[in-house]
Amino acid sequence: MRHSLFADVILPFALEKNYTYAIPEEYSAILVPGMRVEVPFRNKVYTGVIAKVHPLKPDGYQPKPILSLPDHLQVIHKSQLDLWQWMADYYMCPIGDVMQAALPAAYKLSSETVIVYHPNHGVDVLTLDEKEFLVAEALSIHNELALKDIQLIVQQKTIQPIIKALIGLGIASVKEELKEVYIPKTEKYVVLDDAYASEEGIQQLFEQLQKHEKQVNVLMIYYQLSTKEYKVKRSVLLRRAGVTAAVLKTMVKNGIFHEVDEQVSRLGEYTGQLLDDLVLNEAQQKALTEIQTHWKEKQVVLLHGVTGSGKTEIYIECIKEAVEQGKQVLYLLPEIALTAQIIARLKRRFGSAVGIYHSKFNQHERVEIWQQVLNGTCRIMLGARSAVFLPFNQLGLVIVDEEHDASYKQYEPNPRYHGRDTAIYLARIHGAKTILGTATPSIESYYHAKQQKYGLVELVGRYAEMEMPEVRIVDVKAEEAGKQMQSHFSSVLKSEIQLTLDQKEQVILFQNRRGYAPFLLCESCGWTPQCVNCDVNMVYHKYANELKCHYCNYTHQPYATCPACGSARIVIKGFGTERIEDDLHYIFPDARTARLDLDTVRTKHGHEKIVKAFEEGGIDILTGTQMVTKGLDFDHVRLVGILSADQLINFADFRAAERAFQMLTQVSGRAGRKHRRGLVVIQAIKTDHPVLQYVVKHDFKGFYDREIAERQQFGYPPFTRLIRLTLKHASKDLVHAGAHVCARGLREQLGERVLGPALPVVPRIRNRYLMEILIKYPSNSQAMELVKQTIKAQLAKMDADAVYKRVDIAIDVDPL
């Protein structure tokens, strides 16, 4: 068959280019980019997304035809396709990997092998062995069976020989079938029969039921609930009437009611009262005006406002303006833990126009949110970094709150994108405006603002003229020398916690390590338990009574004696959030405590419950990792304690000082936000460290000046760009040899821009050895293109080599 049109289809694989398929005549008038199609690939059937429709037949192979359309709708717009392509090009990954990350799983149909029966096979089934006969008999009854069904019939996992025999005899054949995994949620509704719609019919019905008291009660409740609509939710009717389902079933059987299934949303509707707009204070109004002025010339504005300065109210005013113009808004946050508070504030202003999207939602909920954004019914979308993939068609404003946060970076798997940078490009595609908001800007963002690439607006004072918190640094070495430490609490921190509790106010304690202790140690021989799969110490979790690897989740029971020397002198070293919470129970037995870390927020609403309980005063002391540092707003927090500041600063990374300053400043900002000045107690060994001094003075500009001078001196971003290659393989020798070959090839073209190869901080993860190569190059598009082309050429050489093609190479553009 001749085909006049062809489609380039994005498949969910790491292919170098999109596969081209022939468009059947019946689809030629309706297929457009962004639609889903079912296509054959490697003898299976997959769902892909059309990237392009064109008349050019591909060279070198005969294109197979598109099989069918799961639906006749575009699941993404052209702007999303443009974003996917940009991400694939910029972050150096196949566009199929971008599709995998972007689309909800329910839109990626699952391929399932199906065995089909041939009734005219002409074989005497009595000649088959027992299991072949069972399968052939089942096929003759059902006509076709999935592999899992055949496994159940013969009660074994290995069924390939049976299927092969039946296919060889002509009794069956294989077909690939795609199954839709999204199932719309439905509710049963009760509707009164039309015969009783008139007043005469109603009167007749009541007379008919007068001897059936329960049925009369059901009818009365139905009329009460159906004042606006002529249908009532079945579950509500039964609950309000206080009857069993049997009573309603009888009424349905007698033709009084009909039951109908209707599709309903899994996403709750907002039923609360909307609040009036808050009047901005003078500083906020000035900042808003400056933002609007910058937008006349620039697409991006950096809003640098100290913690508690009222940035969210400025965002809300900008959102209101965008919505009034008929535009959609994307509001990005780095942590799911933050969404609970912000979503409540936004819904009180904008009602059900606000949606939310993050990884804790199940796949059915994700599809419903996707559809709402696609058809434009959701005007304001709040979400974590993955929300940039939603199919906006009228995007007018993008807000990236806490823009400095490292959580915006995707590390594994592809695409290794940065949510902030991707959001800026997304806004550019739509012609939308962008606000980057934070109290501690990233060095790169502040540099761009200083270079006038971005607009810069600053809020230097807290809302309602609240004072910035007092920051005290406590010398841990001096406290230990004077024997004033109790567990990991200095005398200063302990007394301030007690004072805060006495005043019925709240405390936040910050320790950027979860678990009970980072490692165990044998005092006799120095042995420490290590993960069998990774080159790291296993973390002790007391409440679960296990040692756990935070890289691969391998667990082991705690050791009673040292397996190396047999000694029972195994001690706990270091401390995490779990141990702090344990110590609090002993030191402050009457205090109500809770933990906010990855271990306590694994459930869908785990973070919301903890944040809400603390917000409502149900918790006195909240202990947490970096989750407690990010934008949470509490009225009654007087004291913030940072138990080990040195852990944040002492990293061999050029961003270590920046991250430490940001984290310490952010967590300090949780103190004293409403009623009185707060206090921050920082426990440290190196009390004279420059970062700590800038935190004490709340001096971001001083810190920036020092940091940017160092970056310029040593040639780090924003003065250069970085690409990191990570080579991985189960063979240590192979990955080391491959890394040196790869680095040598790159260095031939790029010279001294290539650094390494070198061992990473953790040289083995999940039984795979790692080596890293870092490429540093000037911050301009020409240099970037040269470097990327060189990397692609070198990786192609590695892939063509019979030895080194087994080494996996991950590319991370702009690594953090």
Side-chain angles (χ1 to χ4, degrees):
M1 183 184 295
R2 292 190 56 156
H3 296 276
S4 57
L5 284 176
F6 302 89
D8 294 342
V9 177
I10 305 169
L11 293 170
F13 304 109
L15 302 175
E16 291 300 316
K17 55 182 283 190
N18 294 330
Y19 225 68
T20 301
Y21 290 88
I23 299 178
E25 197 64 36
E26 64 267 29
Y27 298 145
S28 60
I30 57 175
L31 283 185
V32 294
M35 293 180 74
R36 292 193 300 162
V37 287
E38 294 175 359
V39 292
F41 187 76
R42 293 177 181 167
N43 299 318
K44 290 185 179 290
V45 179
Y46 294 94
T47 298
V49 172
I50 295 178
K52 185 180 179 182
V53 176
H54 57 84
L56 303 176
K57 183 180 177 181
D59 294 330
Y61 68 96
Q62 183 64 34
K64 296 177 182 178
I66 289 170
L67 299 178
S68 63
L69 277 66
D71 47 52
H72 288 67
L73 301 173
Q74 284 179 282
V75 293
I76 61 172
H77 300 290
K78 183 182 180 302
S79 55
Q80 268 62 47
L81 284 172
D82 291 344
L83 180 70
W84 289 11
Q85 190 60 59
W86 174 82
M87 293 181 75
D89 293 341
Y90 186 83
Y91 292 107
M92 300 185 69
C93 68
I95 197 169
D97 287 345
V98 181
M99 171 186 162
Q100 280 280 50
L103 284 183
Y107 274 145
K108 295 172 285 191
L109 302 187
S110 59
S111 179
E112 185 175 352
T113 300
V114 174
I115 307 302
V116 182
Y117 182 62
H118 288 184
N120 301 320
H121 53 74
V123 177
D124 183 0
V125 295
L126 296 177
T127 62
L128 303 176
D129 68 27
E130 181 184 357
K131 291 183 178 177
E132 291 169 354
F133 176 80
L134 284 173
V135 175
E137 189 73 10
L139 279 170
S140 69
I141 296 169
H142 298 286
N143 196 42
E144 54 184 55
L145 292 170
L147 294 185
K148 60 185 179 183
D149 298 324
I150 295 173
Q151 288 172 333
L152 289 172
I153 290 167
V154 298
Q155 293 293 300
Q156 67 184 50
K157 286 187 177 181
T158 306
I159 56 174
Q160 283 79 4
I162 300 169
I163 293 169
K164 186 177 180 181
L166 294 178
I167 291 172
L169 292 167
I171 296 172
S173 64
V174 175
K175 104 170 174 182
E176 288 295 328
E177 184 178 87
L178 288 175
K179 292 200 171 180
E180 184 72 71
V181 294
Y182 171 63
I183 303 170
K185 183 180 179 181
T186 58
E187 285 273 9
K188 282 196 178 295
Y189 283 84
V190 175
V191 182
L192 188 67
D193 189 82
D194 290 342
Y196 306 108
S198 64
E199 288 188 18
E200 294 81 5
I202 294 169
Q203 187 176 353
Q204 180 187 346
L205 182 57
F206 273 108
E207 290 173 0
Q208 179 184 326
L209 297 176
Q210 60 182 339
K211 293 182 180 178
H212 303 279
E213 184 180 341
K214 290 183 179 179
Q215 293 187 33
V216 170
N217 185 40
V218 171
L219 194 59
M220 292 290 292
I221 296 297
Y222 175 84
Y223 277 114
Q224 290 175 18
L225 297 174
S226 64
T227 52
K228 293 183 180 179
E229 297 183 52
Y230 294 105
K231 62 181 180 182
V232 175
K233 198 178 286 188
R234 182 179 184 272
S235 58
V236 174
L237 180 60
L238 290 173
R239 186 174 68 250
R240 291 286 297 275
V243 298
T244 63
V247 177
L248 184 57
K249 187 176 180 182
T250 301
M251 298 179 78
V252 171
K253 184 179 178 182
N254 293 336
I256 299 170
F257 288 123
H258 301 292
E259 289 185 352
V260 294
D261 290 328
E262 288 200 9
Q263 187 174 331
V264 295
S265 173
R266 291 178 169 85
L267 313 173
E269 294 291 315
Y270 181 74
T271 57
Q273 188 174 359
L274 297 181
L275 299 180
D276 294 332
D277 294 338
L278 183 72
V279 178
L280 300 182
N281 64 25
E282 185 179 345
Q284 289 173 316
Q285 186 59 56
K286 181 174 179 289
L288 178 61
T289 303
E290 288 180 12
I291 289 170
Q292 293 166 338
T293 302
H294 279 301
W295 274 343
K296 292 175 182 177
E297 297 180 356
K298 296 179 173 66
Q299 293 293 110
V300 182
V301 173
L302 174 63
L303 176 58
H304 174 210
V306 298
T307 55
S309 58
K311 294 185 292 294
T312 305
E313 294 304 328
I314 296 173
Y315 299 157
I316 288 172
E317 285 300 310
C318 294
I319 292 169
K320 179 186 172 187
E321 184 178 329
V323 171
E324 287 174 350
Q325 293 172 358
K327 300 291 187 179
Q328 291 174 303
V329 177
L330 172 60
Y331 190 139
L332 286 182
L333 288 162
E335 286 277 2
I336 296 169
L338 292 177
T339 58
Q341 280 195 329
I342 299 296
I343 198 73
R345 292 176 71 174
L346 290 181
K347 284 198 170 184
R348 285 197 292 267
R349 298 294 180 86
F350 302 104
S352 296
V354 182
I356 185 168
Y357 190 79
H358 56 60
S359 60
K360 296 292 184 182
F361 280 127
N362 65 47
Q363 293 304 325
H364 299 306
E365 290 170 326
R366 290 191 192 194
V367 168
E368 292 190 16
I369 296 166
W370 188 278
Q371 290 172 341
Q372 287 187 8
V373 176
L374 186 68
N375 61 33
T377 56
C378 183
R379 311 304 301 173
I380 305 163
M381 180 52 61
L382 183 77
R385 63 172 181 261
S386 59
V388 297
F389 292 118
L390 289 167
F392 297 98
N393 59 356
Q394 296 173 310
L395 190 64
L397 174 64
V398 173
I399 297 168
V400 185
D401 201 8
E402 310 296 340
E403 67 84 22
H404 67 278
D405 201 285
S407 299
Y408 281 122
K409 176 70 174 177
Q410 163 82 5
Y411 293 99
E412 290 285 349
N414 275 336
R416 294 173 176 84
Y417 68 100
H418 197 296
R420 175 198 62 211
D421 300 341
T422 305
I424 291 171
Y425 192 83
L426 174 67
R428 178 179 165 186
I429 290 173
H430 287 268
K433 304 300 183 183
T434 304
I435 300 176
L436 307 179
T438 177
T440 53
S442 65
I443 297 298
E444 286 93 332
S445 292
Y446 201 75
Y447 176 78
H448 291 324
K450 284 291 189 180
Q451 296 296 309
Q452 298 188 354
K453 181 179 177 181
Y454 301 162
L456 176 61
V457 176
E458 302 195 86
L459 279 168
V460 296
R462 280 186 150 188
Y463 186 77
E465 299 182 355
M466 285 296 302
E467 287 186 90
M468 294 297 289
E470 176 192 352
V471 181
R472 293 186 206 163
I473 299 177
V474 177
D475 188 333
V476 173
K477 283 182 94 174
E479 287 271 321
E480 286 175 342
K483 297 185 178 180
Q484 293 179 294
M485 295 286 291
Q486 183 173 359
S487 183
H488 300 285
F489 294 86
S490 64
S491 60
V492 176
L493 181 56
K494 195 173 65 169
S495 64
E496 290 296 342
I497 291 174
Q498 189 60 62
L499 178 61
T500 303
L501 295 175
D502 292 342
Q503 294 175 346
K504 306 298 182 186
E505 292 186 296
Q506 293 172 303
V507 180
I508 290 177
L509 297 177
F510 170 60
Q511 170 67 1
N512 205 30
R513 278 182 177 167
R514 60 189 174 102
Y516 191 82
F519 64 98
L520 305 182
L521 174 71
C522 173
E523 290 186 314
S524 298
C525 70
W527 170 86
T528 60
Q530 292 227 327
C531 176
V532 297
N533 305 315
C534 312
D535 287 339
V536 291
N537 293 324
M538 297 188 72
V539 177
Y540 176 50
H541 288 252
K542 182 179 178 181
Y543 296 139
N545 192 36
E546 65 183 14
L547 295 166
K548 186 173 184 178
C549 172
H550 287 174
Y551 284 85
C552 71
N553 291 323
Y554 170 77
T555 59
H556 195 284
Q557 288 297 305
Y559 294 88
T561 59
C562 174
C565 70
S567 170
R569 296 175 59 193
I570 295 179
V571 294
I572 293 168
K573 289 291 182 179
F575 62 101
T577 51
E578 199 177 291
R579 182 166 186 179
I580 294 169
E581 189 180 31
D582 207 34
D583 291 342
L584 288 171
H585 292 153
Y586 172 72
I587 301 170
F588 305 101
D590 297 327
R592 298 165 296 173
T593 65
R595 235 182 334 128
L596 186 65
D597 58 25
L598 195 60
D599 295 324
T600 60
V601 298
R602 292 192 182 277
T603 60
K604 181 176 177 180
H605 300 291
H607 60 284
E608 291 181 31
K609 291 175 183 176
I610 296 168
V611 169
K612 188 175 181 182
F614 191 64
E615 198 171 25
E616 294 176 349
I619 298 167
D620 299 316
I621 306 175
L622 179 64
T623 303
T625 57
Q626 57 184 312
M627 285 185 178
V628 301
T629 71
K630 302 176 183 180
L632 294 170
D633 186 7
F634 302 112
D635 289 354
H636 302 290
V637 175
R638 171 189 173 265
L639 175 65
V640 166
I642 299 165
L643 280 84
S644 183
D646 303 279
Q647 286 179 0
L648 303 175
I649 299 168
N650 297 328
F651 277 98
D653 186 276
F654 77 95
R655 296 188 196 273
E658 179 185 7
R659 287 189 187 129
F661 178 85
Q662 289 167 345
M663 213 170 287
L664 293 170
T665 301
Q666 288 286 339
V667 73
S668 299
R670 303 314 113 207
R673 294 170 68 87
K674 286 290 187 290
H675 304 294
R676 56 180 290 184
R677 190 182 189 195
L679 173 65
V680 180
V681 175
I682 300 177
Q683 297 184 167
I685 295 172
K686 292 183 178 180
T687 57
D688 59 346
H689 196 285
V691 169
L692 297 182
Q693 302 310 312
Y694 289 121
V695 172
V696 170
K697 298 172 188 173
H698 308 288
D699 183 9
F700 170 76
K701 289 184 179 178
F703 170 77
Y704 170 81
D705 290 340
R706 180 180 185 275
E707 189 69 11
I708 202 72
E710 285 192 4
R711 299 275 184 99
Q712 187 167 22
Q713 180 183 355
F714 295 106
Y716 279 107
F719 302 100
T720 58
R721 306 290 283 274
L722 302 176
I723 295 178
R724 182 170 60 213
L725 306 183
T726 304
L727 291 83
K728 309 175 185 180
H729 197 270
S731 166
K732 184 177 181 180
D733 293 339
L734 181 60
V735 79
H736 280 235
H740 282 89
V741 168
C742 185
R744 194 180 309 122
L746 291 170
R747 202 169 279 116
E748 287 175 2
Q749 300 296 319
L750 302 176
E752 296 308 309
R753 296 176 186 174
V754 181
L755 307 177
L759 288 172
V761 175
V762 182
R764 183 175 62 105
I765 297 175
R766 297 184 179 92
N767 275 325
R768 302 181 81 196
Y769 293 92
L770 312 179
M771 287 289 282
E772 290 183 347
I773 299 168
L774 191 67
I775 302 165
K776 191 188 290 188
Y777 58 95
S779 186
N780 61 68
S781 56
Q782 293 88 352
M784 176 185 285
E785 188 59 30
L786 170 65
V787 168
K788 287 184 176 180
Q789 290 302 326
T790 303
I791 291 172
K792 287 178 181 178
Q794 181 59 38
L795 297 194
K797 286 182 184 178
M798 299 282 289
D799 209 33
D801 189 292
V803 175
Y804 297 123
K805 70 179 182 181
R806 294 180 292 155
V807 178
D808 289 334
I809 304 178
I811 306 173
D812 191 358
V813 179
D814 301 335
L816 290 185

